[in-house]
Every structure is written in C-alpha cells, then in structure tokens.
Amino acid sequence: MRIAGANGINSWGQGSIDLLLLELAKRGHVVLDVPLPKRHWFSARWGGKPDGEIIAKHTRDGDVIVAHSFGCLRTWHAHQIRDFAAIICIAPAMSDSAEWNHPEHVHCLYSPKDLAIRIGARLLFHPFGAAGSKGFTQEGVTNVEYQCGHSDYFQPPLISRVADYVERVARMPRGVDLGGVGNRPTCETAHVTRTPTRIASEFRYSTEGEG
C-alpha cells in the first residue's frame, strides 16, 4: 500500500507534508509526493478541481492519502475519481460541512488554535473553510483535536506522533474504528471523536521538557 501526500498553498510542501512523507519513508513505507502546482491564495480559488484531477492521475484506488491545508480540498476533488483506502486531512482549509463519499475512511486532525484556518475561513468568495479549526460535521468522519498551530504537526515532537497515527490508519482494514488502539497523536491534548457526538477515546500527554 502506498501513502501519497498532497500539500497546501504557497509551497510545494517542503516545510510540511514532505517532512511527514520523509518520516514515513524512513519507517519503510512506500510514499508518493504528488507533483502539484504551487498555488497562492488567488489561484487557489479555482485550482481545487484541476489539482484534484492531478492527484487522481498519479494515485490509484486503494492508496492512503495524507493532505495538509488546501491539499485537503484538492484531495476532496480527487476522491470523486479515486477510491482511497483512507484519507487523512491535517488542518484542512475547507468547509467543515463538506460531504465525503465514504466518511468512515476520513480522518481529520484539527486545532482550535489554528489561526491560519480561522483567518482563511473569513475570506469572501474563497473555497477555504473552518474544518481545520473544528473538524468535519459529517457523521462517520474521525475527528482528532489538537492544540497547536497550522504546521506544528510536521515539527518535533509532534511529527512522530502524527506518523504513528498515519501508520495505524494505513494498517487498519477499512471501516475499523481507531478509537482505543493506543495511538498518541497529541501535542498537549487530543480528543478523538466520531462525529457528530460519539466519543471514541481521549488522550492526554504533556510535551513539557521535550525538545
């Protein structure tokens, strides 16, 4: 099984999703950095669908895909074409009310402290939304709450915990709930829930003293 990555705007992912793919490659996984064009806030307004088609072209059914920020909206468009085994959205810059074809395959890592998402969600006539600060509302999606910034997921010590989570998702048969398997996806506190209300599990870890 391959793990593909889709980055957000203003970069090719070198400071975000590429770091996670590198960590997963070091652990022995086959990874794919999808070659997406560099988008800025203006071109992103129309870039989601054509970029999703690029993702679909370079991936195949059964792949796991990890996306960051605007890359999550790109992936949403790609999943209209591809049947991914799992979709892991990290700080998704898209609407929290987005409808996924198979919500049970979707995992959302979000943070109420994500100022980039909160500001972007206020832009008029733009596809950005607030999912990265509060999760998705669709029933069946697994939402994981963090307390960190927009790209902190890709920095120590959190990156190793995010990689742990991705590994567990990639190894689980489709439809298996991750709640209670002992994943440690937190920087300060994380709550893993299945929307809209059922709590799957809760983890509390302190990063005090970690470098």
Side-chain angles (χ1 to χ4, degrees):
M1 178 182 295
R2 299 187 306 174
I3 302 176
N7 61 275
I9 65 171
N10 295 327
S11 78
W12 285 281
Q14 65 271 24
S16 55
I17 204 72
D18 288 0
L19 298 175
L20 179 58
L21 292 178
L22 178 61
E23 175 67 22
L24 292 166
K26 290 178 180 178
R27 299 183 182 201
H29 295 279
V30 177
V31 301
L32 170 66
D33 184 12
V34 179
L36 292 165
K38 187 176 182 178
R39 298 282 184 192
H40 299 285
W41 70 269
F42 186 74
S43 62
R45 182 175 178 182
W46 298 278
K49 185 175 181 180
D51 292 353
E53 293 172 351
I54 293 173
I55 294 173
K57 177 181 177 181
H58 287 274
T59 56
R60 52 182 179 242
D61 293 346
D63 283 347
V64 170
I65 187 161
V66 182
H68 177 235
S69 195
F70 179 64
C72 300
L73 182 58
R74 289 165 151 173
T75 299
W76 183 89
H77 286 286
H79 104 297
Q80 307 299 327
I81 304 170
R82 286 277 171 247
D83 181 17
F84 295 115
I87 299 170
I88 302 166
C89 294
I90 302 175
M94 58 184 292
S95 173
D96 57 303
S97 61
E99 292 288 313
W100 299 88
N101 293 338
H102 301 286
E104 67 277 8
H105 300 170
V106 179
H107 300 253
C108 175
L109 281 56
Y110 73 96
S111 170
K113 293 184 177 181
D114 192 330
L115 293 180
I117 290 294
R118 293 169 62 183
I119 293 172
R122 296 176 181 270
L123 294 177
L124 297 176
F125 310 113
H126 230 280
F128 301 147
S133 64
K134 55 184 176 180
F136 292 110
T137 60
Q138 186 179 13
E139 185 172 3
V141 173
T142 299
N143 289 309
V144 185
E145 181 181 313
Y146 290 73
Q147 299 293 323
C148 54
H150 189 60
S151 296
D152 290 346
Y153 303 91
F154 309 105
Q155 301 299 323
L158 192 55
I159 187 170
S160 63
R161 296 173 181 172
V162 172
D164 289 345
Y165 188 86
V166 174
E167 283 190 307
R168 293 179 190 278
V169 170
R171 291 169 179 167
M172 286 289 178
R174 291 193 183 194
V176 173
D177 193 331
L178 265 183
V181 299
N183 51 304
R184 290 173 167 79
T186 69
C187 61
E188 293 176 359
T189 303
H191 301 280
V192 183
T193 64
R194 302 283 282 192
T195 51
T197 55
R198 182 165 66 84
I199 296 178
S201 56
E202 177 181 322
F203 305 97
R204 293 182 185 274
Y205 295 91
S206 172
T207 58
E208 183 178 359
E210 295 186 57

